[in-house]
Amino acid sequence: MPLVVTGSIGIDTIHTPTQVAEAVMGGSCSYFAAAASFLHQPVRMVAAVGEDWPAAHADMLGRFRVDLDGLERRSGSKTFTWTGRYFDNMNRRETVEVNLGVLAEQLPPMPAAYRDSRYVFLANTDPGSQMSFLEQLPHRKLAVADTMDLWITTQREALERLLQAIHGLILNDSESFLLTEISNPITAGRRIRETYDLDFVVVKKGEHGSLLLHRDGVAALPAFPAETVVDPTGAGDTFAGGFMGYLASADRVDFEAMQQAMAWGTVISSFTIERFALERLTELSLDQIRERLQAFARIVRVGC
Ligand code: AMP
């Protein structure tokens, strides 16, 4: 079933405790689309970049067979840029600098052929754009959003309107805390689900895995035990890509399918963090993902 995403396409600079990657391909939309494309093709993308967007980044998205008909290179505008820094053992990150550039402008028009999209992912971008994008998709069966501290603190009202219009939200534990002031991620996720009458909330807890608070039950998965963590950037977006890519390809939105979808998201994101930016995903195959998924199934097996 057709899957469409909007969000940021960024030029990232990433500082880890030992290395720096300058001006690499990033953005919520890019990571999402790359990850989802392992399970569902083509992923439709609506996003804008500035005239400074490197041609090599377009080639990279092309390699994932992302449908770029909805991508606009806007002359006179600048691409969104983000600089982040990781501390200690990569568990903590701060945003050093963010320049919204084209993200502060209007979204490009939705290609007419995308209007029949059934699965919709609103990757991180401003909630007003997420909402206007959603409203152009009358045939949506599953609309899921992600959000971030910047939008929770600066555009809370718009975000709350969006939450009332979607089926599910994926966010991390620090964001669920910011939204509810509840530190227990299970209670926070449940509160968000109930407050906005969502079908489900997924709370990601970094190396501690993820929780699914669904109308029909609760599920929890650990992260894939990873020894190589070079750059955690995009782990959240690639988790969402695996999650939505699985649901769109199976055309299922039930609780059991979401539990399965979380496993795909978990495994794909475990590859993302092994190298900087999208480097690892560009060299990944579906067979490698499947193999790790089987290893993951053995790791989490509960015999009772
Ligand atoms: P993640 O590590 O999954 O949270 O995603 C990191 C990506 O999100 C980076 O590639 C950034 O370019 C992008 N990003 C960072 N801040 C924002 C923001 N406020 N809105 C949209 N995208 C963002």
Side-chain angles (χ1 to χ4, degrees):
M1 282 288 143
L3 168 63
V4 69
V5 61
T6 192
S8 63
I9 293 185
I11 301 177
D12 288 354
T13 295
I14 301 159
H15 298 255
T16 70
T18 53
Q19 293 176 81
V20 181
E22 302 251 10
V24 291
M25 168 104 182
S28 55
C29 215
S30 327
Y31 280 107
F32 175 90
S37 71
F38 286 99
L39 296 169
H40 180 89
Q41 282 191 0
V43 177
R44 300 167 169 180
M45 179 190 273
V46 179
V49 292
E51 57 189 7
D52 54 346
W53 198 49
H57 291 190
D59 293 346
M60 195 179 285
L61 283 181
R63 267 192 264 159
F64 292 101
R65 309 239 162 97
V66 178
D67 181 338
L68 299 177
D69 285 353
L71 179 77
E72 183 182 321
R73 185 188 284 270
R74 201 167 284 165
S75 53
S77 296
K78 289 249 190 255
T79 305
F80 169 75
T81 64
W82 176 79
T83 302
R85 183 192 310 278
Y86 291 88
F87 298 98
D88 318 322
N89 54 358
M90 309 276 211
N91 284 337
R92 223 157 47 76
R93 160 171 110 187
E94 72 169 11
T95 293
V96 177
E97 195 183 356
V98 53
N99 295 301
L100 291 179
V102 87
L103 265 205
E105 301 170 14
Q106 291 275 66
L107 264 183
M110 170 95 59
Y114 287 10
R115 286 185 196 271
D116 65 355
S117 298
R118 303 280 282 153
Y119 288 78
V120 180
F121 190 67
L122 307 164
N124 237 309
T125 187
D126 85 274
S129 300
Q130 289 175 313
M131 188 73 173
S132 63
F133 184 74
L134 186 70
E135 286 169 346
Q136 297 173 66
L137 296 160
H139 303 290
R140 58 190 186 265
K141 175 173 177 178
L142 182 71
V144 180
D146 187 1
T147 194
M148 217 163 183
D149 49 359
L150 178 70
W151 311 118
I152 297 172
T153 50
T154 64
Q155 301 212 24
R156 173 107 188 188
E157 278 179 23
L159 179 62
E160 293 196 338
R161 275 196 297 280
L162 177 76
L163 293 178
Q164 287 163 42
I166 55 177
H167 301 99
L169 178 68
I170 301 181
L171 76 181
N172 68 32
D173 49 1
S174 63
E175 292 151 0
S176 68
F177 174 72
L178 206 55
L179 208 50
T180 61
E181 291 180 11
I182 298 171
S183 54
N184 181 314
I186 307 165
T187 316
R190 197 188 296 283
R191 175 69 61 82
I192 297 167
R193 198 189 74 63
E194 289 169 359
T195 305
Y196 304 103
D197 197 26
L198 293 159
D199 291 333
F200 70 94
V201 171
V202 174
V203 184
K204 297 163 292 172
K205 301 182 296 156
E207 63 175 340
H208 302 297
S210 55
L211 289 164
L212 170 65
L213 292 315
H214 191 283
R215 247 182 232 294
D216 298 332
V218 174
L221 272 185
F224 184 82
E227 290 185 62
T228 310
V229 184
V230 171
D231 170 23
T233 309
D237 305 312
T238 47
F239 173 94
F243 182 85
M244 290 296 287
Y246 175 77
L247 294 175
S249 71
D251 191 18
R252 284 178 60 186
V253 296
D254 56 288
F255 175 68
E256 282 75 23
M258 287 196 191
Q259 243 181 319
Q260 187 71 38
M262 278 169 68
W264 281 94
T266 300
V267 166
I268 297 182
S269 64
S270 76
F271 284 105
T272 306
I273 63 178
E274 289 178 359
R275 305 261 294 273
F276 270 105
L278 284 154
E279 278 171 17
R280 183 65 183 92
L281 294 190
T282 54
E283 288 174 6
L284 190 61
S285 69
L286 184 56
D287 282 347
Q288 288 174 305
I289 299 172
R290 282 214 179 94
E291 203 176 297
R292 190 172 286 187
L293 189 64
Q294 280 162 9
F296 189 50
R298 290 192 293 275
I299 290 167
V300 297
R301 187 160 47 208
V302 179
C304 58

